[in-house]
Amino acid sequence: MVGKVVMDVDPSSSIEPSMEAAKGLEVGERVLVDFERGFKARMVDDGAWRGLGSSDTADEKKRSQVLVETLERVEEVRSGHTEQLRASASAGLSPACGKPSASNAAELQFWLDKIEREARSIVYSVVVVSAPASLSDCVAQFYRQAFREYIDTSEETSSMEVEGPSEQGGDQKGRIEALMGGEWCDRLSFVGQTLNKLGLSHQSENIYTDIVFDHLENWLEERAAGEYTEACLLAAQKYNQGVIMGFLELLLESTSHGFGSEESKNDVVGQWKSRLDFFIYEILGRMRTEEMFDIVVDFPESMQALKDLKVCLEHTNFTDLFIQKFSSQLKKRLLHLGAGTPVILAQYISSIKALNILDPSGILSEIICPLVKDYLKKRKDTTRCTVNMVVYDENLLLVNGGEEEDEGAEGRFHEGGAQSTEDLEDVDLVLKELQWEPVPIQAAQLFNSASVRNTFKTASKDIVAALIDVLGNKEYFIKEYKMILAERLLSKVDDDIDDETRILELLKLRFGANSLRDCEIMLKDMADSKRITSNIRALVQQSQGHSAITQDFSTVILSELFWPPLFEGEVSTPKEVQWMLDTFGSQYKALKAPRTLHWKPHLGVVDLELDFGGEAKEFTVSVAQALIISQFESRVAWESEELAAAAGMAHESLAEKASIWVNSGILKKSVDKGTKKVTYKLVEDVEDQVEKPHAHTKPDLSVMSQEQQMEMNMKVYESYVMGMVTNLESLPLEKIHNMLKMFVLEPVYDKTIQELEAFLAKLVNDNKLTFDGIVYRKKKR
């Protein structure tokens, strides 16, 4: 390292040396060369680093002691040579500066300062070249051991209060000395000061910064990973302020030779606290982002974790990462065939609620939730599951959410009425209108300006509106609700409709009375049926002197035009039941002339009690299912053909109707391998009656689903299509679509051209039509 040392004179300096610049440079070069030669000789040749490079002991305390002893030798060499440098430089420069005066003293100090700055550069260069490779490892081990001792002691004692160093002021160092001891503090300060004097403060800072960051990360993982019910962010910030910053403040004071003024100290400590707080936001934000799916599963118990994540996202730029990660988790863990539609819908609702907590503006939910919505649209049972979830979860209906469409505004006001002046002057309404907020800046980052307005319009919807949005519009929802309501009403053995009435009233508030008029009539039919049945039972008893219509017998009189399509079928009604039907029908005709009743006994519900040697089992089944089991009162075993004939039903439907008794363990089904005949046998011993897992033990459905109605309607459309291509030979898709809209009035043709194209493709696959890419023709036989 010995060589020519170049000293540059700062041209901007206010000092104008009176002596010749060459003389000053000559003195400076000479003393610096001597300093470099002597310092290098002591550091390398005399082995100031001896012991550090050769120390291979595994004892951390001994290695730390070796580092301290080595740094003491190095500091002794550095300080000694630095004093010699000052003396030599002062002696060489003083004669050139002339007699003592204010200007000459300033000139002398100017040259001494420049020589000392060059000397510090020489010290750093010599240290970097001469220091052993193990120096960084030893320093890291020393800081790691000191930090671990500090953490262990602070956790074991109650004297370390979680108050920030900025609040404690000068007492912070005294508290740490009381906690760790003066020797520990002096050793830590000495290592920091020495490394700073050797020019290694930057490397030293990197080392203890990594140690502190690793500890904070492990601390957060131990306390926050997988724990969503308690807030962790505030505890981490208090821990950082009260514990971590105490250690760092002591190090910072030693590496910077003190803070100087109190203001300078607060600035440095505040910067480090902000740096560590941001690290906490970053680590906790990444952790909660990775756990977002589980957080949504545990919602609302995981509310505290969501609040922590919200703060973390506000202080970091993890929004894009969050969207990417959570979307990936939804695809991998939810949107697959193994997850049931009710589970996906429940997760969809929880996701919306959770995302609205993270982002009240609704932007995040509008970006992520359509992923789930688009997948749900592909499932056939989405409509029914959605309606069941909305209708039978009163917590959703009771929420006073916004309307999906302007047409639903009639539900917010009285039907046929207008908003009055008093409503406009209502204080709450005025305040609501005044609560305007500008579009968040995130909107400009995630959406273009043309779509921001539409995005915020949809983002403001409530949970029910979001679920209805999955179905496309409220008409699908109302149609499905009408069928579910019909099923529930027709499957009731009692006449209690209070729950359905309450639900209907809640739906009317949201969708308006006009949209649900058919449902109102259905409930009215149930109430009227109960009243009419009671009246006819009383009339029969008065006229015949006895109760010909028993209390167990009840009827539902339907207004056929307002109910959804019902399944058709025939059953052989028992004589005693048929007699009651005839009696009831004649009395009804006399009471409500000219109206008459057309019975549909196959849609009835029977409440059965089966007695097996004193042990009774209760079932609620359809008439057909009741007829099947009633045949086993006379015989224990039946072949399928005989059983179907005795029950008065088609042989093809027997297996489906009898499955309820097979699944519940009442009947045992067997097939003869030779003749392939099916036999049903009654299981008389209760101990042998084993119900199958997930057994279907509900009555037959009475109402056609939307898919079944569409299939039935399509058969009508098929006859029209076949007639068109027969008479006109060939027709394009648009022409068929327009003709169906013109001529098909019952049922009304309301399909889209895409649905018609799919239907015609099915007819092509069934070899009923041919398609050449332009027109459809009838298949020639």
Side-chain angles (χ1 to χ4, degrees):
M1 288 294 296
V2 179
K4 186 175 180 65
V5 179
V6 179
M7 291 183 60
D8 295 327
V9 179
D10 187 358
S12 63
S13 173
S14 61
I15 300 297
E16 295 292 341
S18 60
M19 67 175 183
E20 297 179 357
K23 181 66 175 176
L25 291 174
E26 180 181 351
V27 173
E29 283 189 19
R30 184 178 67 250
V31 296
L32 286 172
V33 167
D34 292 341
F35 172 79
E36 182 179 6
R37 183 183 296 111
F39 184 68
K40 181 177 182 297
R42 291 291 303 275
M43 293 295 293
V44 179
D45 301 337
D46 294 351
W49 295 108
R50 67 182 181 276
L52 184 62
S54 61
S55 178
D56 57 355
T57 177
D59 191 336
E60 292 184 356
K61 290 186 178 180
K62 289 183 178 180
R63 294 192 67 181
S64 297
Q65 184 62 32
V66 169
L67 174 66
V68 173
E69 293 173 355
T70 301
L71 291 179
E72 287 176 348
R73 290 195 299 269
V74 172
E75 173 59 16
E76 181 181 356
V77 173
R78 188 204 65 80
S79 60
H81 279 275
T82 300
E83 291 298 328
Q84 293 178 7
L85 173 70
R86 289 198 188 99
S88 299
S90 180
L93 291 172
S94 294
C97 291
K99 296 180 180 180
S101 65
S103 60
N104 292 342
E107 183 178 337
L108 177 63
Q109 189 62 43
F110 166 79
W111 285 103
L112 289 175
D113 290 344
K114 289 194 69 64
I115 290 172
E116 287 189 9
R117 287 196 296 271
E118 294 294 336
R120 285 196 291 271
S121 299
I122 291 172
V123 169
Y124 174 71
S125 300
V126 172
V127 167
V128 168
V129 173
S130 64
S134 60
L135 176 62
S136 295
D137 294 338
C138 291
V139 172
Q141 187 173 5
F142 172 82
Y143 281 143
R144 191 177 296 111
Q145 178 189 347
F147 185 70
R148 184 166 57 247
E149 291 174 353
Y150 170 76
I151 293 298
D152 292 343
T153 305
S154 63
E155 289 178 352
E156 292 173 0
T157 181
S158 59
S159 61
M160 177 62 74
E161 301 291 340
V162 287
E163 297 180 3
S166 60
E167 298 175 357
Q168 293 297 322
D171 294 336
Q172 180 76 346
K173 184 176 180 180
R175 289 191 306 107
I176 297 178
E177 287 182 351
L179 181 69
M180 302 301 299
E183 182 181 353
W184 182 90
C185 294
D186 292 342
R187 186 171 68 250
L188 183 67
S189 298
F190 170 75
V191 172
Q193 290 172 0
T194 303
L195 292 173
N196 182 60
K197 292 174 183 178
L198 296 176
L200 300 177
S201 58
H202 181 68
Q203 293 88 330
S204 173
E205 179 180 330
N206 290 339
I207 290 172
Y208 63 69
T209 299
D210 290 341
I211 293 172
V212 169
F213 280 6
D214 288 343
H215 174 75
L216 262 180
E217 184 172 1
N218 293 332
W219 189 90
L220 283 169
E221 288 180 354
E222 290 177 0
R223 288 160 178 78
E227 177 58 50
Y228 314 131
T229 58
E230 296 181 1
C232 182
L233 180 59
L234 183 60
Q237 290 175 326
K238 287 184 176 181
Y239 181 76
N240 171 44
Q241 185 176 3
V243 178
I244 303 299
M245 286 305 302
F247 178 82
L248 284 177
E249 185 175 340
L250 186 62
L251 266 179
L252 292 171
E253 186 173 6
S254 65
T255 56
S256 59
H257 299 290
F259 290 108
S261 65
E262 187 68 22
E263 182 179 357
S264 174
K265 171 184 176 180
N266 292 337
D267 288 344
V268 174
V269 172
Q271 290 173 6
W272 267 93
K273 182 181 180 302
S274 299
R275 182 179 178 184
L276 290 177
D277 281 343
F278 179 80
F279 180 76
I280 292 173
Y281 293 138
E282 192 176 52
I283 294 301
L284 189 59
R286 289 184 182 275
M287 183 189 304
R288 293 302 187 220
T289 297
E290 294 290 344
E291 299 172 330
M292 185 60 188
F293 186 86
D294 296 318
I295 291 174
V296 172
V297 171
D298 289 348
F299 186 85
E301 287 76 13
S302 57
M303 184 72 72
Q304 296 300 327
L306 284 170
K307 291 180 179 178
D308 284 351
L309 179 57
K310 181 179 186 293
V311 177
C312 294
L313 292 178
E314 290 173 350
H315 288 82
T316 59
N317 59 345
F318 283 172
T319 303
D320 291 340
L321 175 66
F322 174 83
I323 293 172
Q324 177 187 352
K325 290 287 187 181
F326 188 41
S327 299
S328 176
Q329 292 168 14
L330 289 174
K331 290 179 182 178
K332 183 177 180 181
R333 302 180 60 181
L334 184 67
L335 307 182
H336 54 77
L337 297 177
T341 304
V343 174
I344 299 178
L345 283 171
Q347 191 78 344
Y348 177 63
I349 293 175
S350 298
S351 298
I352 294 175
K353 292 180 178 178
L355 291 174
N356 284 340
I357 292 174
L358 296 179
D359 175 29
S361 69
I363 295 177
L364 283 180
S365 61
E366 284 300 313
I367 295 175
I368 298 175
C369 290
L371 181 71
V372 183
K373 181 176 69 175
D374 293 341
Y375 178 81
L376 283 169
K377 288 182 178 179
K378 301 175 183 178
R379 291 206 167 193
K380 294 182 179 180
D381 60 341
T382 297
T383 303
R384 174 151 295 232
C385 293
T386 301
V387 175
N388 278 321
M389 179 168 289
V390 173
V391 169
Y392 300 110
D393 185 351
E394 292 191 15
N395 292 328
L396 291 177
L397 286 177
L398 289 173
V399 175
N400 187 19
E403 291 296 325
E404 178 196 16
E405 299 176 302
D406 292 340
E407 295 90 307
E410 60 184 342
R412 295 193 295 269
F413 305 101
H414 293 293
E415 185 179 354
Q419 193 173 6
S420 64
T421 306
E422 289 77 12
D423 290 330
L424 290 174
E425 294 176 352
D426 185 83
V427 177
D428 294 336
L429 185 60
V430 173
L431 291 177
K432 182 177 181 181
E433 294 296 330
L434 291 176
Q435 289 177 350
W436 176 86
E437 293 183 359
V439 174
I441 192 172
Q442 293 92 334
Q445 300 171 350
L446 300 172
F447 301 98
N448 57 52
S449 57
S451 63
V452 166
R453 182 174 298 178
N454 293 332
T455 298
F456 273 79
K457 179 181 178 181
T458 56
S460 64
K461 295 185 300 185
D462 59 356
I463 299 300
V464 174
L467 286 171
I468 294 175
D469 189 49
V470 172
L471 307 181
N473 58 61
K474 67 177 184 179
E475 300 303 326
Y476 289 108
F477 179 90
I478 293 174
K479 287 181 181 178
E480 190 66 31
Y481 168 66
K482 182 179 176 181
M483 288 185 289
I484 292 177
L485 178 62
E487 283 182 8
R488 290 176 63 87
L489 294 178
L490 294 179
S491 62
K492 281 182 174 293
V493 178
D494 55 21
D495 299 316
D496 183 14
I497 58 172
D498 291 342
D499 292 341
E500 281 70 22
T501 303
R502 182 175 64 257
I503 291 170
L504 179 60
E505 292 301 320
L506 292 173
L507 290 175
K508 285 165 60 178
L509 292 175
R510 181 172 291 272
F511 299 112
N514 288 337
S515 300
L516 297 162
R517 184 162 298 164
D518 288 356
C519 298
E520 280 189 289
I521 294 176
M522 291 162 60
L523 290 177
K524 184 176 181 297
D525 285 346
M526 296 297 294
D528 290 346
S529 299
K530 179 180 180 181
R531 176 175 51 80
I532 293 172
T533 301
S534 299
N535 291 340
I536 292 178
R537 183 181 293 115
L539 290 174
V540 171
Q541 186 170 5
Q542 290 177 3
S543 62
Q544 299 184 8
H546 64 279
S547 181
I549 301 177
T550 63
Q551 293 292 332
D552 295 334
F553 176 83
S554 63
T555 60
V556 178
I557 303 172
L558 310 180
S559 302
E560 188 173 9
L561 294 177
F562 299 96
W563 286 69
L566 306 176
F567 284 110
E568 297 296 334
E570 293 291 338
V571 293
S572 60
T573 309
K575 293 180 180 180
E576 58 273 16
V577 177
Q578 186 62 50
W579 184 82
M580 282 191 287
L581 295 179
D582 294 339
T583 304
F584 189 94
S586 61
Q587 289 292 332
Y588 180 85
K589 186 175 182 180
L591 187 64
K592 296 286 187 177
R595 299 179 184 177
T596 58
L597 295 178
H598 302 281
W599 294 104
K600 296 181 180 290
H602 63 285
L603 299 179
V605 179
V606 181
D607 198 5
L608 284 181
E609 182 178 288
L610 305 182
D611 188 2
F612 299 92
E615 183 169 345
K617 291 187 176 183
E618 295 183 352
F619 296 89
T620 300
V621 296
S622 66
V623 172
Q625 293 166 339
L627 287 172
I628 290 174
I629 198 63
S630 66
Q631 307 305 316
F632 289 86
E633 288 184 300
S634 57
R635 289 172 55 178
V636 176
W638 288 82
E639 288 187 359
S640 59
E641 293 84 354
E642 296 176 339
L643 182 59
M649 64 181 64
H651 180 257
E652 294 76 12
S653 62
L654 177 66
E656 179 185 357
K657 305 297 182 184
S659 62
I660 184 174
W661 306 117
V662 176
N663 292 335
S664 58
I666 304 299
L667 297 181
K668 183 177 181 181
K669 182 180 178 180
S670 59
V671 181
D672 187 273
K673 294 182 179 179
T675 61
K676 303 298 182 182
K677 289 185 177 182
V678 180
T679 303
Y680 293 92
K681 184 178 180 181
L682 180 66
V683 181
E684 300 180 88
D685 192 347
V686 178
E687 296 181 358
D688 296 334
Q689 295 176 357
V690 180
E691 183 175 332
K692 294 183 179 180
H694 311 293
H696 173 67
T697 57
K698 295 182 180 179
D700 294 335
L701 296 178
S702 303
V703 184
M704 293 184 183
S705 65
Q706 293 196 48
E707 291 78 10
Q708 290 168 329
Q709 293 179 39
M710 183 179 296
E711 184 178 350
M712 183 179 67
N713 293 340
M714 284 301 184
K715 291 181 180 180
V716 178
Y717 303 151
E718 180 181 343
S719 63
Y720 278 93
V721 171
M722 297 306 296
M724 292 176 192
V725 295
T726 300
N727 296 329
L728 301 176
E729 293 188 359
S730 63
L731 286 171
L733 175 64
E734 293 79 5
K735 185 69 172 179
I736 298 174
H737 181 63
N738 293 332
M739 292 179 70
L740 288 175
K741 287 199 298 183
M742 185 182 302
F743 296 112
V744 181
L745 302 179
E746 184 61 36
V748 176
Y749 177 76
D750 56 355
K751 308 305 175 188
T752 63
I753 195 168
Q754 291 79 13
E755 291 174 329
L756 176 61
E757 186 177 12
F759 173 63
L760 295 178
K762 183 177 181 299
L763 295 181
V764 172
N765 291 334
D766 294 341
N767 292 322
K768 296 180 180 180
L769 295 178
T770 61
F771 182 57
D772 60 5
I774 300 176
V775 295
Y776 292 90
R777 292 183 175 88
K778 185 178 181 180
K779 180 78 171 182
K780 294 181 179 180
R781 302 295 180 184

